[in-house]
Amino acid sequence: MYWDFKEYTENRKWVKDFITALVITGLIARLFYKSWWGLLLFFPLFHFYHNYSERKRKEEEKKRLLKEFQSCMEMISASLLAGYALENAFLDAEKEMRLLYGAESPMQIELEKINGKVAMNQPLEKIFEEFALKWDIKEIVNFSEILIFAKRSGGDFVQIIHGTVASIRDKIQVEEEILTMIAEKRLEQKVMNVIPLFLLLYLDLISPGYLDILYGNLFGIIVMTISLGGYGAAILLSERIAKIEV
């Protein structure tokens, strides 16, 4: 079930990126070159856009996983306070996470894997370390290192988990506050990103022939290619400026 759902989701993402890249390429071919030859840019553009979208989706998935991890740790902490062993607390958390977030949520899927390996007598701390390294999220990696140390030398798991949850909660809160503060600027950025395309389209519709000197000749192709490169670089730079990590 999980693999079928994952394959379906991946196919949908690929199709979405394909259509988006095709539309963007069509606009570039029409507005920057006025030539079908411009459609040849589709192949490198799709490759770049698909990789870029995958990175963005991975970042969003990490943020979602971190929020779910916070909830999971709170559930495990409550189970430990009720007298459960750590391994049994993870089992109990899996049931609660399924009810709260659904069977296909990232943390729920990871819990199923963790508990499945624990059932085969693999050490929990080792399994959790693999999970932490897979996702490469600082808070989870730090918790994994503390968990390994605590399992070997003994430690107050409840206190450790409380500290982890507080750290994650503070980070998420700060990120949300920052996003709220810059929301207007991010909207302005998105508008500014599409204005050059609207300007070219406007000139083409209102003043036909005004930009003909830039089409169908080597000089025009060079100028438009440089302009397109600068336009793309400006979009990437604006994305980087608006990206704030806590």
Side-chain angles (χ1 to χ4, degrees):
M1 175 65 182
Y2 163 64
W3 291 110
D4 292 342
F5 178 83
K6 182 178 180 181
E7 183 178 354
Y8 169 73
T9 304
E10 290 300 323
N11 288 338
R12 283 191 62 184
K13 291 175 183 176
W14 190 92
V15 171
K16 180 182 177 182
D17 290 347
F18 182 91
I19 294 173
T20 303
L22 188 61
V23 171
I24 294 173
T25 306
L27 285 173
I28 290 174
R30 175 67 180 82
L31 298 175
F32 283 84
Y33 299 107
K34 277 193 179 180
S35 170
W36 291 106
W37 289 104
L39 293 176
L40 292 176
L41 291 173
F42 170 77
F43 300 102
L45 181 62
F46 171 68
H47 176 74
F48 171 82
Y49 181 76
H50 182 61
N51 290 338
Y52 172 79
S53 297
E54 282 294 304
R55 288 196 300 271
K56 294 284 285 185
R57 284 191 285 263
K58 189 67 176 177
E59 289 173 3
E60 290 301 316
E61 195 172 17
K62 282 185 174 183
K63 290 180 181 178
R64 180 184 174 188
L65 180 86
L66 187 59
K67 288 184 178 181
E68 293 180 6
F69 179 75
Q70 176 190 341
S71 297
C72 178
M73 289 298 102
E74 290 172 345
M75 295 173 187
I76 290 173
S77 177
S79 295
L80 290 173
L81 286 173
Y84 284 68
L86 185 61
E87 287 76 6
N88 291 334
F90 269 85
L91 281 172
D92 197 54
E94 180 186 335
K95 298 173 186 176
E96 294 187 41
M97 289 291 291
R98 185 182 292 109
L99 293 173
L100 187 60
Y101 292 102
E104 302 301 335
S105 69
M107 193 63 216
Q108 169 62 24
I109 291 170
E110 294 298 336
L111 278 173
E112 289 178 2
K113 294 177 182 177
I114 290 170
N115 289 329
K117 292 178 180 178
V118 169
M120 293 187 290
N121 296 320
Q122 296 186 34
L124 175 60
E125 62 273 21
K126 182 64 178 177
I127 301 167
F128 200 91
E129 182 183 24
E130 293 173 357
F131 155 66
L133 292 175
K134 170 188 172 183
W135 284 92
D136 193 26
I137 300 174
K138 183 176 66 175
E139 290 76 14
I140 299 179
V141 172
N142 290 343
F143 177 77
S144 171
E145 293 172 352
I146 296 172
L147 178 63
I148 292 172
F149 177 79
K151 286 285 283 186
R152 289 176 180 172
S153 58
D156 187 347
F157 289 116
V158 175
Q159 191 62 35
I160 292 170
I161 291 173
H162 280 171
T164 301
V165 170
S167 173
I168 294 172
R169 187 188 298 116
D170 290 344
K171 176 180 179 179
I172 292 174
Q173 184 177 352
V174 171
E175 284 182 343
E176 289 175 348
E177 289 176 356
I178 291 174
L179 288 175
T180 301
M181 291 171 59
I182 66 172
E184 185 178 345
K185 296 299 180 182
R186 288 174 67 90
L187 178 60
E188 291 176 6
Q189 171 217 335
K190 293 181 185 299
V191 172
M192 292 298 294
N193 285 346
V194 298
I195 281 180
L197 296 179
F198 278 110
L199 286 176
L200 284 175
L201 182 61
Y202 177 80
L203 288 173
D204 187 54
L205 294 176
I206 302 302
S207 303
Y210 182 75
L211 298 176
D212 281 355
I213 192 174
L214 296 175
Y215 301 118
N217 59 81
L218 181 60
F219 171 76
I221 292 173
I222 292 173
V223 170
M224 281 306 209
T225 300
I226 293 173
S227 300
L228 179 60
Y231 176 47
I235 291 176
L236 293 177
L237 180 60
S238 67
E239 287 284 335
R240 183 179 292 271
I241 292 173
K243 182 179 178 182
I244 300 176
E245 296 183 359
V246 179

